[in-house]
């Protein structure tokens, strides 16, 4: 299952509106083949893993899948049918499918045909890899990641005479990799006017995996946007969406419903980040903290009104150059009680 999880990791950011899934076919302790879901409409992980094996090799084997096999027909036939027809004797999966159409059905169907089924193996890791899709399929809203670079005194920008970049080159390379995990990048009109960002996917590893340019989404109240901005004039201009006078919640819901976006990254300034946190729309945050004091400039969470403090849960800490990256889930912060 750990090998299957590594396969699933290769699919992150590639499969929306489907989940990233990995599969391993084994006999005893010998791995016969492995596969992952590469794109929506393409073969699911189980099918890709089976394609390279003969009927003789498949018969009596065990399939390890990070997500409960699908049991309903979509763009491709249900995987439970292919598993049964291949003669696979045992199926081990990690996460139960949160999709109400499939949830719990695979085990019942497979057992009916004498196939042994075991679920919940390494479920925590398997659940983590499909977190964005789980939210998308169960709520109709995308997983929202907030990304920002800040100084030690909590500024988003350097003094005006010091240039655009606050974080290090190493941090910017890592931040570029985050774009390979999401389906859309969202900014506000102020960020577009001040920075004229390209918001393009430049990470070589993501491009090698077949990741397509995420949608570029601009929120504006009055629609006064520079027509010569990069997002309107470059080769990806057809992937730029503008929402005028729409609430952030409405925009996110539309991105999920009409464009199949299971994950969105907010790269906007303090006002947009403040609105997202105030409305409880942020699921995950990634902050790059540069070891400098700026003394002036924009601050994150402008105008935010939180019912209680928020913290990073299960946070990871990593260094990029001189910067420190904090990444974790957003939840209610723990409060130390007086003792």
């Amino acid at each position: 299952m750990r090998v299957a999880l590594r396969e699933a990791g290769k699919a992150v950011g590639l499969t929306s509106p489907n989940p990233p899934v990995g599969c391993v076919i084994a006999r005893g302790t010998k791995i016969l083949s492995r596969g992952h879901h590469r794109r929506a409409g393409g073969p699911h992980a189980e099918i890709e893993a089976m394609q390279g094996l003969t009927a003789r090799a498949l018969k009596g084997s065990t399939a390890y899948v990070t997500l409960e096999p699908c049991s309903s027909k979509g763009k491709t036939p249900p995987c439970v049918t292919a598993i049964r027809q291949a003669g696979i004797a045992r199926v081990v999966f990690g996460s139960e499918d949160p999709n109400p159409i499939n949830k719990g059905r695979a085990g019942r169907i497979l057992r009916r045909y004498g196939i042994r089924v075991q679920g919940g193996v390494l479920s925590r890791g398997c659940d983590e890899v499909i977190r964005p899709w789980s939210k998308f399929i169960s709520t109709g809203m995308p997983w929202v990641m907030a990304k920002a670079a800040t100084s030690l005194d909590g500024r988003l920008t350097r003094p005006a005479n010091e240039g655009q970049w606050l974080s290090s080159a190493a941090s910017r390379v890592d931040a570029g990799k985050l774009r390979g995990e999401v389906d859309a990048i969202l900014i506000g009109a102020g960020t577009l006017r001040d920075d004229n960002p390209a918001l393009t996917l430049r990470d070589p590893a993501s491009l090698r995996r077949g990741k397509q340019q995420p949608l570029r989404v601009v929120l504006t109240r009055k629609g006064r946007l520079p027509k010569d901005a990069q997002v309107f004039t470059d080769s990806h201009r057809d992937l730029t969406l503008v929402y005028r006078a729409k609430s952030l919640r409405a925009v996110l819901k539309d991105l999920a419903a009409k464009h199949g976006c299971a994950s969105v990254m907010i790269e906007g300034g303090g006002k947009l980040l403040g609105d997202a946190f105030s409305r409880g729309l942020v699921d995950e945050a990634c902050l790059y903290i540069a070891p400098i004091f700026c003394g002036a400039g924009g601050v994150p969470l402008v105008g935010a009104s939180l019912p209680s403090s928020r913290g990073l849960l299960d946070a990871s800490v990593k260094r990029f150059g001189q910067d420190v990256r904090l990444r974790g889930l957003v939840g209610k912060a723990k409060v130390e009680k007086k003792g």
Side-chain angles (χ1 to χ4, degrees):
M1 187 61 79
R2 288 190 176 90
V3 178
L5 263 171
R6 289 197 291 272
E7 286 293 312
K10 299 176 184 178
V12 171
L14 304 181
T15 60
S16 292
N18 293 342
V21 181
C23 178
V24 164
I25 308 293
R27 187 179 301 278
T29 58
K30 183 180 179 181
I31 292 177
L32 304 179
S33 67
R34 62 191 77 190
H36 62 275
H37 188 32
R38 296 178 182 271
R39 60 179 177 83
H44 288 190
E46 300 94 317
I47 307 304
E48 183 175 277
M50 286 190 279
Q51 282 177 344
L53 296 176
T54 64
R56 182 177 179 181
L58 283 168
K59 190 172 181 61
S61 64
T62 297
Y64 296 86
V65 195
T66 55
L67 178 66
E68 174 185 357
C70 65
S71 54
S72 60
K73 184 178 180 180
K75 292 183 178 180
T76 60
C79 289
V80 290
T81 301
I83 290 170
R84 175 174 60 83
Q85 292 174 345
I88 290 174
R90 179 171 172 248
V91 173
V92 180
F93 67 85
S95 298
E96 186 175 65
D97 195 331
N99 187 342
I101 297 175
N102 294 317
K103 188 174 183 178
R105 292 187 64 209
R108 294 194 295 271
I109 293 172
L110 293 173
R111 290 187 184 98
R112 191 184 307 156
Y113 291 95
I115 298 171
R116 291 174 289 153
V117 179
Q118 180 181 358
V121 175
L122 296 185
S123 59
R124 181 173 179 177
C126 294
D127 289 346
E128 286 178 2
V129 81
I130 61 166
R131 271 191 308 225
W133 181 77
S134 294
K135 181 186 178 186
F136 167 79
I137 202 67
S138 58
T139 70
M141 292 284 283
W143 182 267
V144 177
M145 178 195 297
K147 190 271 288 183
T150 73
S151 63
L152 290 173
D153 54 342
R155 303 293 178 170
L156 294 173
T157 55
R158 299 178 77 112
N161 62 338
E162 292 188 356
Q164 177 183 1
W165 302 116
L166 190 149
S167 59
S168 68
S171 289
R172 297 196 297 275
V173 168
D174 183 70
K177 294 178 182 178
L178 295 181
R179 292 177 179 172
E181 299 181 19
V182 300
D183 303 319
I185 304 164
L186 196 152
I187 63 171
T191 297
L192 183 70
R193 286 191 291 265
D194 294 342
D195 298 339
N196 188 22
L199 305 179
T200 50
L201 183 66
R202 297 183 290 271
D203 173 49
S206 297
L207 294 169
R208 283 196 300 270
R209 291 191 303 131
K211 172 67 177 178
Q212 301 298 307
Q213 169 63 38
L215 290 175
R216 302 177 298 186
V217 183
V218 182
L219 272 60
T220 175
R221 285 182 294 176
K222 298 180 180 180
R224 297 173 184 169
L225 302 173
K227 294 181 180 179
D228 60 348
Q230 294 187 80
V231 295
F232 300 135
T233 58
D234 66 13
S235 60
H236 300 296
R237 57 188 175 273
D238 291 341
L239 295 174
T240 299
L241 302 176
V242 175
Y243 288 88
R244 181 178 177 182
K246 297 285 186 182
S247 72
L248 181 55
R249 184 179 295 276
V251 170
L252 293 172
K253 190 171 184 178
D254 189 76
L255 288 173
K258 293 184 180 179
H259 300 280
C261 293
S263 55
V264 173
M265 182 162 65
I266 297 178
E267 290 199 23
K271 288 184 179 179
L272 184 55
L273 289 170
D275 186 37
F277 273 90
S278 294
R279 299 179 186 279
L281 297 173
V282 180
D283 301 291
E284 182 180 6
C286 187
L287 303 176
Y288 297 88
I289 304 172
I292 58 175
F293 297 94
C294 292
V299 296
L301 308 195
V302 173
S305 177
L306 304 180
S308 61
S309 56
R310 291 289 181 264
L312 285 185
L313 312 179
D314 297 325
S316 64
V317 181
K318 194 170 183 179
R319 286 190 63 173
F320 291 93
Q322 293 298 307
D323 300 345
V324 174
R325 188 193 75 179
L326 290 174
R327 182 177 181 181
L329 306 182
V330 174
K332 189 173 182 179
K334 293 182 179 180
V335 179
E336 295 291 339
K337 296 181 179 180
K338 295 180 180 180

